[in-house]
Amino acid sequence: MTAGAVLTGGSSRRMGTDKAFVEVDGVPMAERVAAALSGGGCSPVSYVGGDVALLARFGRTVHADRFPGAGPLGGVLTALAALGDVLVAACDLPLLDAATVTRLLVAARAAPDAPVIVARTDRVEPALAVWRTTAVPAIEAHWAAGGRALHGALDVLDVVTVPVEVGAMRNVNTLAELSATPRHPT
């Protein structure tokens, strides 16, 4: 079983409030993403970064970010250290669904030696990827050289991409994007 981690440590500057707790159809985005990971076959599912006390109210384990404020790659390193091989998703993907998660997990099983299996629409989507512990040395070297971006880490790794529906990867960074997000049940 592959663990799941929802990255919840972003500063949410463009949203103006913590995105993890912004509700879509009455459910906080972080919990919508966590439910998609669980429904797609990840176990356990945890949160990484953000407001540990508030996130714990959702009843899931929360791992404090080892590199707070340093971007999502620090969250990936935290998730790998806490959970081992892990499917990581950003909390601002409120339309992520279980079928998309399952697609990545199936691809990961088919490519057991790939250090990263990442979603792809018309572009690579590092906000949703299976990261393996075998990637840690390359990520840490990238980190030590000042790299903080997920795309930069992918550039130094052998990556398998998995085609997914663009709608599942719609991320929400602003209130305007939230109001334009189509609604559907989780």
Side-chain angles (χ1 to χ4, degrees):
M1 191 69 64
T2 302
V6 181
L7 298 182
T8 51
S11 63
S12 302
R13 282 184 298 274
R14 291 179 282 169
M15 182 66 76
T17 189
D18 192 335
K19 287 189 281 189
F21 302 102
V22 171
E23 292 187 359
V24 175
D25 294 336
V27 180
M29 282 201 289
E31 187 55 24
R32 289 177 68 90
V33 173
L37 296 185
S38 292
C42 293
S43 182
V45 175
S46 304
Y47 297 113
V48 173
D51 189 323
V52 174
L54 284 177
L55 287 163
R57 293 180 184 173
F58 295 140
R60 299 181 189 276
T61 301
V62 184
H63 303 282
D65 194 339
R66 293 172 42 207
F67 309 97
L73 189 58
V76 168
L77 285 168
T78 299
L80 284 162
L83 300 164
D85 293 352
V86 60
L87 191 152
V88 176
C91 74
D92 59 1
L93 300 173
L95 301 182
L96 181 63
D97 57 21
T100 300
V101 171
T102 299
R103 187 172 295 123
L104 259 71
L105 293 175
V106 167
R109 284 192 293 277
D113 296 328
V116 183
I117 298 86
V118 64
R120 178 179 43 80
T121 55
D122 58 336
R123 62 190 174 114
V124 173
E125 301 277 3
L128 182 66
V130 175
W131 297 83
R132 294 210 168 104
T133 56
T134 56
V136 170
I139 297 170
E140 287 178 338
H142 176 70
W143 185 270
R148 298 296 182 264
L150 292 174
H151 279 287
L154 295 178
D155 290 342
V156 300
L157 293 163
D158 290 327
V159 174
V160 171
T161 63
V162 179
V164 300
E165 295 296 323
V166 70
M169 297 307 302
R170 181 185 183 124
N171 84 337
V172 175
N173 290 307
T174 66
L175 291 173
E177 289 172 353
L178 178 64
S179 66
T181 299
R183 305 296 206 251
H184 67 77
T186 55

